[in-house]
Structures are given as structure tokens and as C-alpha cells.
Amino acid sequence: MQRERLAVLIITVSLLAMTLVGVAVVSPIGANAPSDSADRTIAVNAVGGASASPDRATVRVAATATGDDPAAVRDELTADADALRDALESAGLTEDDYETASYRIDDRHRRPDEKRDGPAYRGVHAFEVTLEDPDRTGAVIDAAANSNAEINDIQFTLSEERRTELRQEAIGNAMADARTQADTIAENGELHVTGVQRVDATQRHFRPVAYEAGAGDGAASPETAIETGDVSVEYQVSVTYNATARTS
């Protein structure tokens, strides 16, 4: 009798385990199960964007030197880089605001049989300047120019916190557009949207601001003026909604 009861108990427990596994497969944790009354779906694609003024700027500048003697090029490059650092610090920057991006001395006449005009060696000591205040960009450009450095690139962008806010705004706009589309489709198809079944979101682009550099107005010691636009982000969402036929 004990063995029979034990066998019945094992069979009962096994059936219960199979039932629980079946529930897990049908409704996995975290899934959005369709509404009980929903028997149709509506799938739409939507795009939402958002933009904001930049709150970060990156300026890439470089000290350069050329010559036929690599040692002389190195020494000149060191002096020019020191002059660039002094100019940046005179503009109010500290060592925390910039860092070396690259350092190299290139042999421009590597092949003996190759003839080229100009010095044999060119040295570059490039710096990347990061500004939390984009309005200081003009001062950095002027500091680099006054020390005979090259201005290679200027980019306006967003801090991580502001970028997150902009991304959330873009997704919210995309989802709002998706729901408007779904409601319009449902109304014209005599349906009623009951909830969201599935959402896929993809960032289409994050576009740092373009810039234009202009000279000053001719006054004494003019500062370079930089005109900026807005940083923009765009998201695309694909949303599937549960729907049911209208009852009235």
C-alpha cells in the first residue's frame, strides 16, 4: 500500500510540475500577454525626434613642426606644444580641461626612390579640449591661433545626462505618434485598441550640431564667434497593439 501511495504521489507531483512548465511557456515572466478580449492586432511604425541646445563642446587643436632633421622637429614640436598649453591656460583652462590626443613624427620621404617637395619630417602633437560651457569655444580657438597651432575639429554635443533626457523625449514622441496611428486605424476598422503587445525601439541617429566659425567685428582683440544650432536625436518604434471588435 505504501508503494502504491508513493507511486500516486510521484505521478501527481509530476503532473503538477508539467502544468507549471506549461504556464511558464505560455506566459513567460515579463511578457505582455494579450488581453482576454483581444482577438486582433494592429502593427504600426512611428518616428519621434527631439532637439536641444548643446551643453558640451570638444575642440581638437595641434602643435605642428616640420624639418629635415627629426631631432630638430622634435625639439620645435616640444616648444610649440608648451606654447599652446600656455595659451590655453591663459584662456582660463586647466590641465583637467585638455589632454593629448596623439603624438607623432612622420617620415614623409620613406622610400629612397620617391621624390617629394618640402621637409622630410612633420611632427604633430594634438590635444583634445573638452568644455562644459560651449560659449568658451571661441576663446579656445583664439588661444590656439595665437600660438600658431592648427584647429582641426570643433564639435558641439550633449552631456550624458542631457542626452538621456533627449532620448526619452524622442521615444515618448514616437510612442505618442504610434498610438495616434493605431487609434486612427482602429476607428476606421471598427476596432478598439485594448493594450500594447510588443514594442521595438531603434535609435535612428544622434546628430551633434554643425557649426560655422566667423571672424570678429573688427574691434580690438576680437574673439572668434561660433554660431551653433541644436543637437538632435531620432528614434523609430515598431508597436503591435491588441485590439478587439467594437461592440457599439
Side-chain angles (χ1 to χ4, degrees):
M1 290 296 293
Q2 290 181 349
R3 289 184 177 179
E4 291 178 0
R5 285 198 299 271
L6 180 60
V8 172
L9 178 60
I10 292 174
I11 292 172
T12 302
V13 172
S14 298
L15 289 174
L16 177 60
M18 291 175 64
T19 302
L20 292 175
V21 170
V23 171
V25 171
V26 174
S27 301
I29 295 175
N32 291 324
S35 172
D36 292 339
S37 60
D39 55 5
R40 320 280 176 87
T41 59
I42 299 173
V44 298
N45 294 318
V47 175
S51 61
S53 299
D55 63 355
R56 291 290 187 276
T58 301
V59 185
R60 296 178 178 87
V61 297
T64 62
T66 59
D68 294 326
D69 181 358
V73 170
R74 180 200 59 204
D75 293 342
E76 182 180 349
L77 193 61
T78 298
D80 290 348
D82 289 341
L84 177 56
R85 290 191 189 92
D86 291 341
L88 293 175
E89 292 176 4
S90 296
L93 276 68
T94 67
E95 292 183 354
D96 294 334
D97 297 321
Y98 62 89
E99 62 182 359
T100 295
S102 65
Y103 180 95
R104 66 182 186 276
I105 297 177
D106 298 325
D107 183 354
R108 305 173 68 187
H109 299 171
R110 292 182 180 179
R111 292 174 52 183
D113 59 341
E114 186 177 12
K115 294 183 179 180
R116 293 186 181 180
D117 296 331
Y121 296 93
R122 184 175 190 271
V124 177
H125 190 163
F127 295 86
E128 183 174 281
V129 182
T130 302
L131 302 172
E132 295 185 0
D133 181 5
D135 291 339
R136 300 175 65 192
T137 302
V140 172
I141 293 173
D142 290 339
N146 292 337
S147 62
N148 295 321
E150 293 181 353
I151 296 93
N152 295 327
D153 181 62
I154 305 170
Q155 187 178 72
F156 295 95
T157 185
L158 299 173
S159 62
E160 192 60 36
E161 179 180 359
R162 189 69 184 96
R163 186 180 301 192
T164 299
E165 295 173 354
L166 203 65
R167 182 168 59 243
Q168 292 173 344
E169 183 179 348
I171 293 174
N173 291 337
M175 289 297 293
D177 182 33
R179 183 55 189 258
T180 298
Q181 291 185 49
D183 287 339
T184 301
I185 293 171
E187 182 178 354
N188 285 274
E190 298 184 352
L191 298 174
H192 175 68
V193 175
T194 60
V196 176
Q197 184 186 100
R198 178 185 176 87
V199 179
D200 291 318
T202 304
Q203 181 173 302
R204 296 184 61 178
H205 77 251
F206 176 81
R207 184 175 299 160
V209 68
Y211 70 92
E212 295 181 358
D217 58 5
S221 302
E223 181 177 304
T224 299
I226 303 295
E227 300 296 333
T228 68
D230 287 341
V231 178
S232 62
V233 64
E234 190 173 86
Y235 259 82
Q236 177 174 332
V237 295
S238 299
V239 189
T240 302
Y241 294 91
N242 295 321
T244 187
R246 289 184 180 273
T247 56
S248 59

